[in-house]
Amino acid sequence: MKVTVFGASGLLGKALMREWSGDEIVGLSSRDVDVRDADRVRAVVESARPDWIVLAAAYTNVDDCQSHPDLAFAVNRDGPVNVAQAAKHVGAKLLFLSSDYVFDGNKTSPYEAGDARNPQSVYGRSKAEAEVRLLEVLPECCIARTSWLFGTGGKCFPDTILKAASSRPALDVVNDQRGCPTYSVDLARAIIGLCGNRASGIVHVTNAGDCSWFEFAREIVKDAGLSTEVRPVSSQQMARPAPRPAYSVLSPKSLLQYGIAMPMWKDALLRYLQERQN
Ligand SMILES: NC(=O)c1ccc[n+]([C@@H]2O[C@H](COP(=O)([O-])OP(=O)(O)OC[C@H]3O[C@@H](n4cnc5c(N)ncnc54)[C@H](OP(=O)(O)O)[C@@H]3O)[C@@H](O)[C@H]2O)c1
């Protein structure tokens, strides 16, 4: 199988490039091709002629998206449409990475793949609109929604907490947003499994179990053997430019249909800390 990964230099992309074996894989960063450039995207896809395209490229800074909506929609919605049209042109299958932020967070039980989108931020809207457009261009494409991604080789929450915890006696972390942390390695393995299973439609892919950012931070500090105090605070006390859903736990049912079960996030965190030390 021939695979092309857009966003290969990102957190997930790096894990995909490391974990994927047995297939012919080509990884692209924004320096190789900007997804906003439809002609270039088409030329690259025509030349590679992949069986699968994994589209992990995105403008992922949620707060910056809020103040740069034109850029957010260009990269996160229009870019993916360019890739989907190129995929359609060569008959490639497409797996697109989307986000838990397409939901408003008003539910109190895990979001199923078919639940209504109601994004609250520019980033969430750009992803939600991309989903709708991609399903129009390529109805058989696979949309893999993930959340709270962490891993080595880039900025992520555990890395930020560990750096802050080593220099500060106490950390304030929000306790009123609940979601599912997801390790890039586990997400990459699940994506490889989904492509192998010729997946299509919307699938939720996160580590199992859920927590608040405060609970996540407390676990990180404990596992790292640090004595830094972690204090729960409200989102109001830690105001950020982009609103986040209060609850964005994603149900694993859509993924289990493909026979793929994800490890618990606490187990994933221990493996991440191990990988970070190596
Ligand atoms: N991080 C999370 O918590 C999270 C949560 C839910 C969903 N997701 C989604 O999961 C996917 C992977 O996220 P990630 O954290 O691995 O992202 P990331 O580390 O921020 O990496 C983004 C990737 O996209 C590329 N890129 C950015 N703008 C581009 C453009 N205009 N044209 C082509 N490539 C471009 C970057 O290339 P350069 O290195 O060359 O800039 C990089 O390879 C994304 O679709 C993201 O929206 C992430």
Side-chain angles (χ1 to χ4, degrees):
M1 191 159 84
K2 286 166 81 175
V3 181
T4 298
V5 175
F6 286 81
S9 52
L11 210 57
L12 170 61
K14 283 181 184 153
L16 278 168
M17 298 306 290
R18 278 197 308 266
E19 292 297 316
W20 213 310
S21 61
D23 292 307
E24 196 182 313
I25 180 156
V26 172
L28 304 167
S29 74
S30 68
R31 267 178 297 186
D32 301 306
V33 51
D34 188 319
V35 291
R36 291 171 292 176
D37 182 344
D39 292 340
R40 174 94 184 114
V41 166
R42 187 162 168 147
V44 165
V45 170
E46 259 182 358
S47 136
R49 295 245 154 213
D51 301 292
W52 271 98
I53 294 173
V54 177
L55 179 43
Y59 180 25
T60 57
N61 187 318
V62 175
D63 288 323
D64 283 358
C65 282
Q66 205 66 14
S67 47
H68 299 92
D70 292 348
L71 183 59
F73 284 105
V75 176
N76 292 348
R77 179 195 59 200
D78 304 340
V81 171
N82 292 336
V83 176
Q85 278 162 343
K88 188 175 183 173
H89 178 67
V90 301
K93 293 185 178 50
L94 175 67
L95 184 146
F96 169 67
L97 268 300
S98 188
S99 165
D100 55 329
Y101 287 3
V102 301
F103 296 121
D104 58 20
N106 292 334
K107 267 187 93 173
T108 51
S109 60
Y111 280 94
E112 299 296 342
D115 281 341
R117 306 172 187 93
N118 187 21
Q120 300 298 297
S121 62
V122 168
Y123 171 80
R125 283 212 319 272
S126 69
K127 286 290 190 181
E129 290 184 22
E131 290 187 2
V132 173
R133 296 290 311 281
L134 292 198
L135 288 167
E136 284 165 7
V137 177
L138 267 185
E140 296 302 308
C141 75
C142 180
I143 291 171
R145 291 190 188 127
T146 191
S147 63
W148 297 24
L149 194 59
F150 66 94
T152 58
K155 234 183 124 200
C156 68
F157 182 76
D159 187 57
T160 305
I161 290 295
L162 288 170
K163 283 180 180 149
S166 63
S167 62
R168 303 216 304 250
L171 302 176
D172 292 340
V173 184
V174 295
N175 196 29
D176 54 6
Q177 292 167 26
R178 222 171 167 79
C180 305
T182 305
Y183 183 26
S184 58
V185 170
D186 292 339
L187 176 59
R189 289 176 184 161
I191 288 170
I192 294 164
L194 286 169
C195 293
N197 274 302
R198 302 170 72 85
S200 85
I202 300 174
V203 186
H204 287 173
V205 193
T206 70
N207 276 121
D210 58 77
C211 60
S212 69
W213 290 112
F214 159 73
E215 289 163 352
F216 192 15
R218 200 176 46 182
E219 194 75 8
I220 293 161
V221 166
K222 174 178 78 74
D223 287 348
L226 298 168
S227 54
T228 316
E229 185 191 357
V230 184
R231 297 182 300 223
V233 294
S234 71
S235 303
Q236 244 180 348
Q237 287 170 279
M238 304 278 280
R240 312 249 325 243
R244 267 80 170 167
Y247 180 92
S248 61
V249 176
L250 302 181
S251 162
K253 272 185 206 155
S254 50
L255 185 64
L256 289 170
Q257 282 179 354
Y258 290 98
I260 301 172
M262 295 286 277
M264 296 295 293
W265 69 264
K266 287 187 182 180
D267 166 77
L269 175 61
L270 289 172
R271 285 180 286 121
Y272 160 77
L273 292 171
Q274 190 69 50
E275 188 193 342
R276 198 172 176 268
Q277 275 184 336
N278 296 337

